[in-house]
Amino acid sequence: MRTRVGIVGAGPAGLLLGHLLAQRGVDAVIVENRSRDYVEARIRAGVLEQGTVDLLTKAGLGERLHREGLRHDGVNLQWPGERARLDFPALTGKSVWVYGQTEVVKDLVQARLDAALPLHFEVTETVVADLETDRPTLSFTDSSGARQVLDCDVVVGADGFHGPSRGAIPEPRRQTWERTYPYAWLGILAHVAPSTDELIYAWHPRGFAMHSMRSHQVSRLYLQVDPTERIEDWSDDRIWTELQTRLSLDGWSLETGPVFDKGITPMRSFVSSPMRHGRLFLAGDAAHIVPPTGAKGLNLAVADVALLSRALVALLRDGNARLADTYEDTALQRVWRTTYFSSWMTTMLHTTSDDPFDHQLQLAQLRQVFSSSAAATLLAENYVGLPLGE
Ligand code: RFL
Ligand code: PHB
């Protein structure tokens, strides 16, 4: 079999890349080792930057997003006794949208199936090879058990942190930067109307807590916990009590409801270079991970794909290699700036020690966001997202 671009992974990065390439007349095949149901139900990110929404809209993927997504013009930061709001349009002229990653993935899968474009679920033994030639291959065993070999012009690793593509780059060429944070997030989804119109990020001496949402009927909440905690030890009652303590504010109360999903996620920052080796390009979590505090992981994957789709169209359709040659440098600048922002939000809001000095430094940073318009603008600009540079 022959295709121009072989894409490993049907997460947001791989699916969006396939969509943008098809719109510009470049054919691609996407292979995914999980089932359609699994990728559509995997609970992850919830906040889309303005640039992500604009790109999805322009690509014809905005219909349900604009109908069901919730535009948010601000967020709240909280510490004991205070809840303060950042006004995004006033500070940046932009907004963010609450629309779950599950919904983005469903829209992308549906668009691909409607267009009858190749997308293979439940493949096994995915192998990328011959990357240093101009005819790289993507091989896999399809769901019927048949071995398939795709001859490609380019292979894209959009296979997330645990996928095989990054490991296909020779070890001596690879450099990684990594930080594992000494805390994790316990996240729940609950059938209860959100107790707030906009997200609340709360610093508390017992640990960070956050109130987010998925719709007017579904709330998403998080608690900072120790990474060694086991979800079995957290009953729904214990979770709600802890959330009520950490999010409490005079005159406000947190409504509770039936929990229908809960899990614990470790927090890490990770960057791997190069993002290109010969005819292999990496995009999204395959090349970098940010902790979720800044709501950046999904948006960063979309930013990679915005760049990469243009680079591949120029290379494969117009014979122009310039953007492909600068992909890694351009992408990594955004990756590092986002890594910095996510790390800053994380370390400002999570408590790691009982040292009252550290706590006062965190509180001083939080207060500065509301006493300095420069500090407020900096946070807001990063949160709503840097321009995609299209
Ligand atoms: P994805 O979504 O991980 O998709 C990669 C896809 O590749 C498939 N794959 C393979 N396919 C074929 N053959 C193989 N050998 C394969 N190996 C893997 C996988 O099954 C998968 O479908 O990466 P992508 O597309 O780069 O998208 C990135 C985002 O998913 C990610 O950045 C965010 O979801 C990160 N993230 C969060 N970001 C936020 O902004 N807010 C959040 O609340 C948030 N929560 C999370 C998260 C990431 C999590 N992970 C990765 C553990 C919660 C979790 C649990
Ligand atoms: C979410 O709704 O899942 C969410 C929102 C904001 C974040 C992280 C996760 O910073």
Side-chain angles (χ1 to χ4, degrees), residues 8-14 31-34 38-39 42-47 101 123 126 158-164 185 214 220 222 265-266 283-286 288-290 292 294-299 301:
V8 189
V31 305
E32 164 62 48
N33 62 346
R34 302 287 191 163
Y38 185 93
V39 301
R42 191 166 39 195
I43 307 297
R44 288 185 176 171
V47 176
Q101 181 168 332
V123 309
T126 316
D159 46 358
F161 183 67
H162 300 287
W185 274 17
R214 285 292 177 275
R220 175 79 166 145
Y222 295 98
T265 310
D285 278 18
H288 41 71
I289 298 281
V290 290
K296 291 290 147 212
L298 167 61
N299 294 292

Side-chain angles (χ1 to χ4, degrees), residues 48-101:
L48 305 183
E49 294 174 358
Q50 174 97 50
T52 298
V53 170
D54 292 347
L55 185 144
L56 293 172
T57 307
K58 227 166 82 187
L61 295 159
E63 195 265 325
R64 199 162 68 93
L65 161 57
H66 286 284
R67 192 157 30 90
E68 295 177 16
L70 309 173
R71 196 188 83 210
H72 280 199
D73 288 341
V75 287
N76 300 291
L77 299 186
Q78 175 173 323
W79 54 97
E82 288 283 339
R83 181 175 295 170
R85 177 176 188 265
L86 281 179
D87 182 329
F88 294 148
L91 291 162
T92 67
K94 297 182 187 173
S95 302
V96 295
W97 269 257
V98 169
Y99 191 65
Q101 181 168 332

Side-chain angles (χ1 to χ4, degrees), residues 31 50 76 113 127 176 200 233 238 242 247 346 354 373:
V31 305
Q50 174 97 50
N76 300 291
L113 298 178
V127 177
T176 56
I200 304 167
D233 295 332
R238 182 179 177 201
E242 194 62 33
L247 289 167
T346 299
D354 296 326
S373 62

Side-chain angles (χ1 to χ4, degrees), residues 44 161-162 178-187 222-229 263-270 285 289-293 346 350:
R44 288 185 176 171
F161 183 67
H162 300 287
E178 188 162 13
R179 172 153 307 163
T180 304
Y181 297 91
Y183 26 79
W185 274 17
L186 186 162
Y222 295 98
L223 282 172
Q224 173 190 343
V225 296
D226 192 273
T228 59
E229 287 286 337
I264 294 181
T265 310
M267 312 252 295
R268 68 158 75 82
S269 295
F270 172 86
D285 278 18
I289 298 281
V290 290
T293 324
T346 299
H350 293 70

Side-chain angles (χ1 to χ4, degrees), residues 232-364:
E232 301 78 52
D233 295 332
W234 286 82
S235 67
D236 296 357
D237 277 352
R238 182 179 177 201
I239 294 170
W240 283 118
T241 303
E242 194 62 33
L243 284 166
Q244 275 163 334
T245 304
R246 297 190 197 177
L247 289 167
S248 79
L249 190 74
D250 275 354
W252 180 85
S253 61
L254 176 65
E255 297 302 321
T256 66
V259 173
F260 64 94
D261 183 276
K262 59 179 166 181
I264 294 181
T265 310
M267 312 252 295
R268 68 158 75 82
S269 295
F270 172 86
V271 181
S272 176
S273 167
M275 287 175 71
R276 175 191 184 174
H277 174 69
R279 289 264 169 159
L280 170 73
F281 294 77
L282 300 180
D285 278 18
H288 41 71
I289 298 281
V290 290
T293 324
K296 291 290 147 212
L298 167 61
N299 294 292
L300 198 51
V302 168
D304 283 353
V305 164
L307 266 182
L308 186 56
S309 60
R310 285 199 307 148
L312 295 183
V313 169
L315 180 72
L316 300 175
R317 203 185 61 186
D318 312 329
N320 181 345
R322 192 180 59 84
L323 289 175
D325 291 342
T326 55
Y327 168 67
E328 145 137 301
D329 283 351
T330 314
L332 277 179
Q333 282 189 29
R334 186 188 190 93
V335 168
W336 276 112
R337 180 139 173 219
T338 307
T339 297
Y340 173 64
F341 174 66
S342 301
S343 175
W344 173 63
M345 286 284 280
T346 299
T347 53
M348 174 169 69
L349 286 161
H350 293 70
T351 49
T352 46
S353 72
D354 296 326
D355 184 343
F357 186 83
D358 282 343
H359 289 186
Q360 291 306 325
L361 292 183
Q362 292 180 309
L363 292 169

